[in-house]
């Protein structure tokens, strides 16, 4: 009994051998039909023998054959969770409720909800819109924002909701074609991502935001450096409406990337301007500039080479002092970007290191609020438009983002859902089940661009209609008029604050004023450490750090003590 108890983990293995042997005996002496189970159990027995002698997995050596069940369940765990266990509000990373909303609007199906909200309205973090007793009437939901500063010769009238950066290479050709065709039908813009402009973008005919990243794909010399001639040729195409210089992205800020040579097709190589048979590397940083002033000069060069089209940059906020250094470079050179896109760390990508995805970069709400207020503090907000991206899929998401300081919003995964993405989270495996994030020609055949482009356009149109309805409910006539005070935020289970308190707008020009505002001491301190000549800090603040509220509280207590004395 002790022997059996100690070695019971081998019972499946022994049982398979016994059944294989019994099946062979029956096949020889009883009926030829027994050869079928003999082959099956024999194959399992061979698997068990291999498990006992392999050295990679300890669990297989201890539990031959039966341990494979663990690996099978582990492989299908995301699907099991998504389809059988996940609730409507589990965000991994998008909730079933959010995905369902996109699917319904993309298909033109009923998107109403019966029987009340499933949100926990008394939970910390819950936010709501304050509505008016005299709602307005909005008949045109084609909301636009003019992007183009004082140095721009070809400003662009952009929709308030556009397709964020997704490269050809990470997405299939059919997916790119469907997205861009949908953008043309719906009258909104499509960001190319760093993979440059492919024939699928051109075939779709939609407005493009040409993204220039550290690899300079589509505008690079053979050694990977920036090519003015190639950029000017690409940027001058009528389909290109804006140029976006990518400094970092939300899912993996400060991290480069590599497309293995095995995944590079002839079409990808042609679009990016890279050779076949060599890994395609995206460096972590740019080679054309290394200082804030250098960044501004490069932006001016891109604007000149493009014929005066709007040029801006995209980033996820990291060191706030570095962004202030960029603002100081704007003031010193007189060069301003036409726009800045703030990407939240909750943004998505085909694949990113877990540490970067979970713990590097600032979330969109805080990053957007900081950029908006920093521009206000430097007196530059009116010259620079601000876009924002980070899990924006509903009209409420757009309205709240506009209230926090954005002029327009971008979305990537929202439009992927419109294409039919099921959040399988296999984007990095080249095995996307719906043909979106794959270069497998057979898999991407499942995505029919004509039908999916209609879904993309319909999702945008229905979302803009919903934005018009929520804007009218607030008594406004344009969603760009949303302000923080139109929203309330529950910070604790039994307390809520006005949006102005949670995300306040700071005074215009306070960073460049002659006198400091004591309550904004940390802003002034960081501004003082920023330099237009370098991204490196002038000094490192050591020692205990006191926030402005603590300083103000200490001073008030001291004044009260003096008054009482």
């Amino acid at each position: 009994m002790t022997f059996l108890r100690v070695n019971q983990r081998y019972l499946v293995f022994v049982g398979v051998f016994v059944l294989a042997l019994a099946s062979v005996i029956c096949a020889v002496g009883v009926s030829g039909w027994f050869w079928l189970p003999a082959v099956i159990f024999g194959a399992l027995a061979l698997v068990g023998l291999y498990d006992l002698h392999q050295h990679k997995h300890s669990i297989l050596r201890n539990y031959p054959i039966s341990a494979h069940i663990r690996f099978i369940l582990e492989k299908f765990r995301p699907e099991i969770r998504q389809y059988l266990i996940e609730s409507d509000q589990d965000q991994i990373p998008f909730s079933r409720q959010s995905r369902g909303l996109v699917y319904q609007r993309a298909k033109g199906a009923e998107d109403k909800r019966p029987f009340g909200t499933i949100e926990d309205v008394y939970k910390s973090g819950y936010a709501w819109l304050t509505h008016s007793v005299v709602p307005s009437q909005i008949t045109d939901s084609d909301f636009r924002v003019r992007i183009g500063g004082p140095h721009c010769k070809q400003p662009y009238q952009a929709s308030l909701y556009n397709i964020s950066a997704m490269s050809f290479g990470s997405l299939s050709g059919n997916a790119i074609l469907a997205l861009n065709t949908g953008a043309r039908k719906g009258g909104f813009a499509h960001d190319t991502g760093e993979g440059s402009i492919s024939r699928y973008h051109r075939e779709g005919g939609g407005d493009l935001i040409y993204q220039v990243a550290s690899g300079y794909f589509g505008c690079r010399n053979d050694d990977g450096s920036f090519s003015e001639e190639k950029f000017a040729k690409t940027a001058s195409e009528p389909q290109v409406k804006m140029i976006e210089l990518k400094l970092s992205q939300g899912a993996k800020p400060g991290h480069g990337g590599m497309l293995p040579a095995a995944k590079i097709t002839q079409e990808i190589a042609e679009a990016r301007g890279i050779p076949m048979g060599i890994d395609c590397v995206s460096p972590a940083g740019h080679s054309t500039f290394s200082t804030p002033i250098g960044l501004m000069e490069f932006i001016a060069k891109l604007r000149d080479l493009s014929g005066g089209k709007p040029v801006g940059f995209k980033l996820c906020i990291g060191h706030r002092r570095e962004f202030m250094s960029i603002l100081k470079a704007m003031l010193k050179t007189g060069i301003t970007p036409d726009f800045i896109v703030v990407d939240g760390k909750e943004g998505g990508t085909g694949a990113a290191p877990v540490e970067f995805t979970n713990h590097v970069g600032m979330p969109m709400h805080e990053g957007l609020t900081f950029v908006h207020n920093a521009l206000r503090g430097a007196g530059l907000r009116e010259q620079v438009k601000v876009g924002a991206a980070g899990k924006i899929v509903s009209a409420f998401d757009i309205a709240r983002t506009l209230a926090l300081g954005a002029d327009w919003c971008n979305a990537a995964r929202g439009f992927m859902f419109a294409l039919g993405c099921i959040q399988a989270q296999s984007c990095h495996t080249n095995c996307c089940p719906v043909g979106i994030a794959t270069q497998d020609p057979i898999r991407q055949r499942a995505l029919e661009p004509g039908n999916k482009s209609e879904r993309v356009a319909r999702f945008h149109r229905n979302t803009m209609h919903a934005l018009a309805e929520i804007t009218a409910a607030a008594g406004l006539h344009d969603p760009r008029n949303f302000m923080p005070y139109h929203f309330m935020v529950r910070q604790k289970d039994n307390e809520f604050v006005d949006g102005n308190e949670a995300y306040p707008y700071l005074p215009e020009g306070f960073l460049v004023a002659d006198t400091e505002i004591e309550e904004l001491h940390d802003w002034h301190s960081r501004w003082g450490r920023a330099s237009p000549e370098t991204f490196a800090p002038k000094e490192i603040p050591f020692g205990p750090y006191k926030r402005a509220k603590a300083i103000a509280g200490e001073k008030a207590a001291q004044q009260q003590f003096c008054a009482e004395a």
Side-chain angles (χ1 to χ4, degrees), residues 183-238:
R184 173 177 56 80
K185 293 176 179 179
F188 52 98
H190 178 195
D191 194 314
T192 65
E194 67 176 290
S196 190
I197 304 174
S198 68
R199 72 177 182 88
Y200 300 101
H201 291 97
R202 293 186 172 93
E203 186 178 339
D207 291 349
L208 291 176
I209 302 171
Y210 175 34
Q211 187 182 90
V212 178
S214 57
Y216 305 116
F217 301 126
C219 57
R220 60 188 265 138
N221 296 308
D222 292 339
D223 61 357
S225 60
F226 176 71
S227 169
E228 294 186 10
E229 294 75 18
K230 291 180 180 178
F231 172 80
K233 180 180 178 181
T234 301
S236 63
E237 295 183 22

Side-chain angles (χ1 to χ4, degrees), residues 130-136 469-478 482 486:
T130 60
H131 63 282
S132 173
V133 295
V134 282
S136 62
E469 290 185 324
I470 201 172
T471 302
L476 304 175
H477 292 86
D478 192 301
F482 274 117
H486 287 110

